[in-house]
Amino acid sequence: MNITCNGEQRAVEKNSSLNDLVISLELNPQALVAEVNGKIVEQPKFTEQMLQDGDRVELIRFVGGG
Amino acid sequence: MLTIAGTQFSSRLFVGTGKFASSREMKEAVEASGSQMVTVALRRVDLNNPHDDIMQALDRTKIHFLPNTSGARNAEEAIRLAKLARVASGTNWLKLEVTPDPRTLLPDPVDTLKATEQLVKDGFIVLPYINADPILALRLQDAGAAAVMPLGSPIGTNQGIMTAMQVEIIIQQARVPVVVDAGIGAPSHAARAMEMGADAVLVNTAIAVAGDPVRMAGAFRAAVEAGREAYEAGLGKPSKQASASSPEEGMLTPDLDFIQD
Amino acid sequence: MFTVPDFAHLQQWIIRSTEDDVRRALDREHVDIHDLAALLSPRAEKYLPQMAARSSRITLQRFGHVTQLYAPLYLSNLCVNRCAYCGFSAGNRIPRRTLTLNEAEQEAMILHERGFQHILLVTGEAPKAAGVDYLEELALRLRDRFAALSIEVQPLEQAEYERLFRAGVTAVAVYQETYDRAIYQQVHLAGRKCDYDYRLDTPARAAAAGMREIGIGSLLGLADWRAEGLALALHLQWLRKQFWRTSFAISFPRLRPAAGEFQPLAPVSEKNLSQLIFALRLFDHNVGLLLSTREEERFRNGMIGLGPTRYSAGSCTAPGGYSQPDIEGEQFSVGDHRNLAEVSDALIAKGFDPVYKDWDKEFQVFNLESLSS
């Protein structure tokens, strides 16, 4: 199935969780916050957040800023 | 000691973490500055460069994170970023920035007040970035802002405290701490803000783009400490006359012979 | 809530000031509370002309060649309090009277005909005879005839001030009398006024109710005037921080030795009073400074333009005194007996414009939500 992650189309396997996506992108989940279809998902819930075809996922973290 | 929303800070220098050449340089500069509060921004992960991770660089047991809402063009966007920032950082502290004009990045007073009112209701500790408008500062204070952050001059201009007269009024009137933000291009600018009685200053560009950011961070640390010390010691007024206050000379004095004793 | 530092501490603070501190204070653009302590000190006395010059310059810069005029309207001399210094004190044998609403209106109209646009409604503390209902009713009757109605009555609750504000009262004067807690207890012998802290919190309640102006002051002659000045400044500074939408004014009622009357515990000379006025003007450029008819014509004329911004004129301090000039039962005897026209002429002679109003209540919008702070 296909999702949109940070604006880019990505293919993921069926029954993938948000955590699976993060790991496949080689990201450290501790430092992330996610939005799935506009709803905030906190890091501890990444494993139980299952992805559906067509989901829009935003992975967000802190960067340098003034 | 500086106290904001019940939290004490022994350093009155806040440092922005943007525009550094690397996370390592940023970390060393923050350490050299002695700062206990750094601002950070929220961005989408760049999936092509996923390993630039500021959360790992800094020791959060020593350094307080102040997430900002940079990039927000109106109150709604700022509130959305604030909620993400709270989840991502585990802190309800927030530097509220609403900047609809991408050229000057000057803050929008109307939406800043609107967002502050909402975010305070939602339990945030809000430090709004504002133009140096004394009445806006008071309105934000009344709305529950924990501090106000008036600009010295437009961000990134290095012009120093061009808004000195307005900033002085804000300092005189405000019940909440005043943090001068933006436009501080040299340690002397930071010292001046502190001499005026600002509670703290926020510096980013001037440190990040210096030839040696770590040494510049140390210079700002010294300037902020010197400026604060001078303020607390009580500065004399610059005078054109050598000693205008001596009773023999100076201004025309009114006739007080009418006073009986 | 505002708390006053220990009075002895304030006195020490002032006494420690050196002549260098005074000079430095005079050199400063913004006189802060430490500078003020120096300017109130005995060391500053020989700099009185320099203080007058600065005070005058600041006052002209901020207020222009303008002096506001008002008259008090005494509504009642009934009082439940026993205050050692006051003519209305409950134990005094004076004819007691509370004007009926019709009588009060009649007195007000006499002042109106004399040219007054701003009147100060004064009562003792007698909530049954002259309570909030009475004041509200009177304000509603007078509001369209005067530009400004102020009150100097017993301390009220915030909700009561809100009622009076809606009825047309725009300013409240409430004087602490003395910030020295020990002297306060000593001169307030009985009655609700014995509660120092409730009185101290009253300006804040009135400001929170939306009043446009709050007047504070000390009754000079009760305690060390220098420390009173510092306490007043601290109170003013605190009020300004809490209520930035409110204007503030300070009055300088001065007790003077007089036969058969209360003798001042700590006499204040005209020179002292001048120093206090100049110092406070240097400390706060915007505060209204009031000089009442307690002071004599000579002194009031001399002070024009040097710091004060508002004078009373043609005052009578007994209820009903404007329609019956020989009436007894006054609060204190006045020192300046000129009428409004004569005081106006003195101002004009000095190049000042006598102003009878500086605000029209018709412009007011009663939105209390926007006033909370």
Side-chain angles (χ1 to χ4, degrees):
Chain A
M1 63 181 189
N2 284 314
I3 60 155
T4 308
C5 180
N6 287 10
E8 291 176 22
Q9 290 279 332
R10 292 194 92 84
V12 294
E13 287 184 22
K14 272 205 161 153
N15 296 324
S16 289
S17 70
L18 182 56
N19 201 54
D20 298 332
L21 172 69
V22 169
I23 286 166
S24 75
L25 291 166
E26 297 176 37
L27 294 170
N28 172 10
Q30 300 293 336
L32 288 181
V33 60
E35 260 187 0
V36 177
N37 301 326
K39 268 189 72 181
I40 295 175
V41 182
E42 297 183 39
Q43 183 272 328
K45 301 218 164 131
F46 281 9
T47 40
E48 58 191 78
Q49 175 74 43
M50 302 309 290
L51 297 175
Q52 311 291 331
D53 191 40
D55 274 353
R56 301 185 61 83
V57 179
E58 295 285 339
L59 298 175
I60 296 149
R61 70 174 169 200
F62 286 116
V63 297
Chain B
M1 208 178 319
L2 171 62
T3 305
I4 303 178
T7 302
Q8 293 196 323
F9 299 88
S10 57
S11 166
R12 292 175 180 272
L13 173 58
F14 299 167
V15 174
T17 55
K19 301 183 184 173
F20 282 91
S22 68
S23 287
R24 213 183 110 220
E25 195 170 69
M26 183 274 292
K27 176 179 190 281
E28 286 174 15
V30 169
E31 280 165 6
S33 75
S35 178
Q36 296 166 318
M37 180 117 98
V38 301
T39 55
V40 292
L42 269 185
R43 286 293 176 271
R44 269 179 171 176
V45 178
D46 178 358
L47 297 177
N48 302 312
N49 180 22
H51 299 292
D52 185 25
D53 194 344
I54 194 170
M55 296 288 276
Q56 313 287 45
L58 295 170
D59 179 359
R60 290 194 61 196
T61 61
K62 293 187 186 130
I63 293 165
H64 210 88
F65 266 33
L66 181 61
N68 68 27
T69 59
S70 69
R73 291 162 302 165
N74 55 45
E76 290 71 27
E77 289 182 2
I79 289 166
R80 176 175 178 229
L81 282 168
K83 288 182 174 164
L84 285 167
R86 175 156 65 182
V87 172
S89 66
T91 165
N92 49 5
W93 287 60
L94 186 76
K95 180 186 169 195
L96 175 64
E97 298 179 26
V98 184
T99 54
D101 174 0
R103 289 169 308 146
T104 61
L105 294 176
L106 286 167
D108 179 336
V110 177
D111 271 34
T112 300
L113 179 58
K114 214 164 99 183
T116 298
E117 285 166 348
Q118 184 58 49
L119 290 165
V120 167
K121 276 190 202 129
D122 292 344
F124 284 90
I125 294 167
V126 184
L127 291 76
Y129 168 61
I130 56 170
N131 210 320
D133 178 337
I135 299 299
L136 176 62
L138 291 168
R139 293 290 303 267
L140 288 162
Q141 166 188 290
D142 291 351
V148 288
M149 305 183 73
L151 56 84
S153 46
I155 192 154
T157 59
N158 286 348
Q159 292 284 316
I161 320 297
M162 301 295 278
T163 55
M165 207 169 173
Q166 303 282 88
V167 169
E168 265 178 17
I169 296 173
I170 294 175
I171 290 168
Q172 217 173 30
Q173 294 185 327
R175 293 196 299 273
V176 295
V178 178
V179 184
V180 176
D181 182 3
I184 295 178
S188 56
H189 300 156
R192 176 158 186 232
M194 298 309 294
E195 285 169 2
M196 284 163 55
D199 295 281
V201 295
L202 172 59
V203 182
N204 188 349
T205 309
I207 294 175
V209 305
D212 183 338
V214 179
R215 286 184 70 180
M216 188 58 82
F220 270 100
R221 175 186 194 154
V224 168
E225 285 169 3
R228 180 67 191 182
E229 190 67 8
Y231 169 73
E232 287 180 8
L235 282 164
K237 181 188 84 171
S239 173
K240 287 183 185 117
Q241 282 148 299
S243 176
S245 63
S246 70
E248 298 78 25
E249 54 185 318
M251 57 192 115
L252 275 174
T253 54
D255 182 3
L256 298 183
D257 288 346
F258 68 89
I259 299 173
Q260 279 187 0
D261 237 331
Chain C
M1 200 189 136
F2 174 65
T3 51
V4 193
D6 181 54
F7 210 72
H9 171 79
L10 294 177
Q11 288 177 305
Q12 280 306 310
W13 189 0
I14 293 163
I15 288 303
R16 276 200 308 268
S17 302
T18 64
E19 196 166 331
D20 275 349
D21 292 332
V22 176
R23 285 166 181 264
R24 208 173 304 128
L26 279 168
D27 253 356
R28 265 208 234 286
E29 204 170 335
H30 297 295
V31 165
D32 68 15
I33 197 80
H34 301 280
D35 300 322
L36 179 67
L39 294 175
L40 290 168
S41 74
R43 305 273 186 191
E45 272 168 20
K46 71 177 193 192
Y47 295 92
L48 201 60
Q50 283 74 24
M51 289 173 67
R54 275 208 65 182
S55 172
S56 171
R57 226 177 26 233
I58 293 163
T59 307
L60 282 180
Q61 176 89 26
R62 168 64 181 80
F63 295 91
H65 286 95
V66 162
T67 300
Q68 298 165 9
L69 290 165
Y70 73 99
L73 172 50
Y74 279 73
L75 301 170
S76 171
N77 57 8
L78 269 71
C79 196
V80 298
N81 296 311
R82 282 173 191 273
C83 308
Y85 51 80
C86 182
F88 292 170
S89 186
N92 287 4
R93 291 183 169 275
I94 54 165
R96 300 283 177 172
R97 179 181 186 190
T98 301
L99 302 184
T100 64
L101 289 168
N102 284 343
E103 286 167 343
E105 196 177 349
Q106 201 182 341
E107 285 274 296
M109 290 321 289
I110 292 172
L111 291 173
H112 190 265
E113 279 156 28
R114 291 180 186 173
F116 285 101
Q117 292 274 350
H118 176 189
I119 57 173
L120 170 68
L121 306 175
V122 186
T123 68
E125 179 152 5
K128 281 183 192 145
V132 179
D133 291 342
Y134 171 88
L135 293 166
E136 185 180 40
E137 179 60 33
L138 183 59
L140 287 169
R141 289 196 190 191
L142 300 180
R143 62 180 300 166
D144 294 331
R145 316 226 180 105
F146 290 91
L149 294 176
S150 306
I151 54 170
E152 186 183 336
V153 304
Q154 68 276 17
L156 303 174
E157 290 298 318
Q158 182 178 329
E160 296 174 319
Y161 285 125
E162 284 170 8
R163 269 175 66 192
L164 294 179
F165 180 65
R166 288 202 178 87
V169 174
T170 52
V172 173
V174 56
Y175 308 138
Q176 188 62 24
E177 316 298 10
T178 176
Y179 288 89
D180 183 334
R181 214 175 260 275
I183 301 277
Y184 189 95
Q185 301 305 343
Q186 186 186 323
V187 296
H188 296 110
L189 306 165
R192 286 180 54 190
K193 199 167 176 177
C194 293
D195 189 341
Y196 178 100
D197 291 310
Y198 184 70
R199 192 168 188 87
L200 189 64
D201 198 35
T202 305
R205 290 197 302 277
M211 290 291 171
R212 297 184 66 85
E213 184 187 273
I214 306 298
I216 58 174
S218 292
L219 183 57
L220 301 173
L222 293 181
D224 178 1
W225 66 270
R226 301 177 198 276
E228 295 284 8
L230 202 52
L232 270 170
L234 287 165
H235 200 178
L236 175 64
Q237 195 173 41
W238 182 87
L239 285 164
R240 281 212 186 284
K241 288 255 163 165
Q242 308 303 314
F243 304 102
W244 56 273
R245 286 181 168 88
T246 312
S247 296
F248 293 95
I250 300 178
S251 292
F252 301 93
R254 185 167 69 111
L255 285 169
R256 300 168 61 196
E261 289 180 23
F262 176 79
Q263 297 301 309
L265 304 173
V268 178
S269 68
E270 282 186 1
K271 200 174 157 194
N272 298 152
L273 174 58
S274 312
Q275 188 181 349
L276 176 60
I277 289 173
F278 300 151
L280 286 169
R281 168 57 71 224
L282 266 57
F283 174 73
D284 189 315
H285 297 190
N286 301 303
V287 69
L289 298 178
L290 276 62
L291 207 52
S292 81
T293 55
R294 278 180 188 260
E295 299 302 328
E296 285 162 30
E297 172 179 346
R298 166 189 44 76
F299 183 71
R300 296 218 305 163
N301 278 352
M303 288 297 278
I304 292 169
L306 296 186
T309 54
R310 198 180 304 162
Y311 280 41
S312 53
S315 305
C316 176
T317 71
Y322 294 118
S323 45
Q324 297 161 267
D326 300 325
I327 204 161
E328 287 178 39
E330 60 181 12
Q331 189 189 26
F332 60 88
S333 45
V334 301
D336 182 343
H337 297 276
R338 291 173 297 171
N339 63 29
L340 178 66
E342 288 164 334
V343 174
S344 295
D345 286 347
L347 289 167
I348 292 165
K350 281 224 169 186
F352 278 73
D353 186 19
V355 165
Y356 306 108
K357 62 170 180 175
D358 70 344
W359 168 249
D360 284 296
K361 282 194 310 296
E362 291 69 31
F363 300 149
Q364 199 145 293
V365 178
F366 293 91
N367 177 2
L368 284 171
E369 280 72 55
S370 75
L371 294 164
S372 63
S373 75

